[in-house]
Amino acid sequence: MEALVEFGKIIIPAGLVLYAMYLIVKSFINAELDKKRLEVRSKSIETVLPNRLHAYERVCLFLERISPNQLIVRLNNGDYTSREFQQILLNELREEYNHNVSQQLYMSEESWELVKSAKEDLIVMINEAMSGLPADSTGVDLSKAIFEKSMQKESDPIQHALLTVKKEIWETF
């Protein structure tokens, strides 16, 4: 029995020291892991942040380029029929959109939905303007009809999307 008490006097303090060492080593390892996670996160931010900014820039440029004023002035040379000009406008819209579709990875879902909605709204507006024209109309006639339709709208979805994207940029950065 006395040997058991002597054995307990050695084992209990040794167990307490071992447990204390375990807690110290565990807290040290956790602190190091947290430090490593923070380093990885900061390096990730260094890499992703410029990409996000670039994505926002490209989406703003996309929205500016598809505004009716910019799009029509840039593409209309006056020699097109209304049907040809409609196809040119729609192809340009689709190409611009397809060129920038990957930017959605860096944006909020709400902002990207507004960008898509602005593009779709412009497509509808172009098609509606075309449907109200006679078959022998010119590209200039279609341009006028598009401008009239855009003036009749209470709100401009392209400008709304652009403002939302800009607001998101300011909130993020």
Side-chain angles (χ1 to χ4, degrees):
M1 182 76 171
E2 193 173 305
L4 190 59
V5 170
E6 290 299 318
F7 188 68
K9 286 180 183 177
I10 295 172
I11 294 294
I12 291 175
L16 289 174
V17 168
L18 201 60
Y19 182 68
M21 288 302 294
Y22 166 76
L23 292 177
I24 291 171
V25 168
K26 181 180 174 187
S27 68
F28 177 75
I29 289 174
N30 285 340
E32 287 297 314
L33 286 174
D34 289 341
K35 191 188 298 185
K36 290 292 182 190
R37 281 189 205 110
L38 191 59
E39 284 177 27
V40 167
R41 182 168 166 78
S42 66
K43 287 189 189 237
S44 165
I45 288 173
E46 287 175 19
T47 305
V48 171
L49 190 62
N51 290 342
R52 283 189 75 189
L53 263 176
H54 184 66
Y56 284 117
E57 290 171 3
R58 284 186 53 185
V59 168
C60 288
L61 182 61
F62 166 72
L63 290 169
E64 290 289 341
R65 287 178 59 88
I66 69 165
S67 71
N69 296 341
Q70 296 290 325
L71 194 63
I72 291 171
V73 170
R74 190 173 72 246
L75 298 176
N76 194 1
N77 68 6
D79 295 336
Y80 300 122
T81 66
S82 58
R83 181 72 56 202
E84 290 171 334
F85 192 49
Q86 176 193 25
Q87 291 307 310
I88 289 169
L89 290 172
L90 295 177
N91 286 339
E92 180 71 12
L93 274 170
R94 288 183 183 106
E95 285 177 23
E96 287 278 345
Y97 179 77
N98 289 338
H99 182 69
N100 290 294
V101 76
S102 64
Q103 305 314 312
Q104 67 182 301
L105 294 172
Y106 300 103
M107 302 178 68
S108 72
E109 188 68 29
E110 174 193 1
S111 291
W112 185 251
E113 286 300 319
L114 286 173
V115 169
K116 282 186 351 186
S117 175
K119 177 201 63 121
E120 294 300 325
D121 186 70
L122 183 57
I123 289 171
V124 168
M125 185 171 36
I126 291 169
N127 290 333
E128 285 177 354
M130 182 62 196
S131 69
L133 295 176
D136 63 341
S137 59
T138 66
V140 174
D141 295 330
L142 178 59
S143 299
K144 288 178 187 175
I146 292 170
F147 282 130
E148 288 173 6
K149 289 235 179 257
S150 69
M151 295 304 244
Q152 292 171 356
K153 286 191 169 269
E154 291 180 19
S155 66
D156 183 3
I158 293 173
Q159 288 303 314
H160 178 64
L162 188 58
L163 290 174
T164 302
V165 169
K166 286 179 179 179
K167 182 179 174 188
E168 189 171 304
I169 292 169
W170 284 108
E171 287 174 356
T172 304
F173 306 105

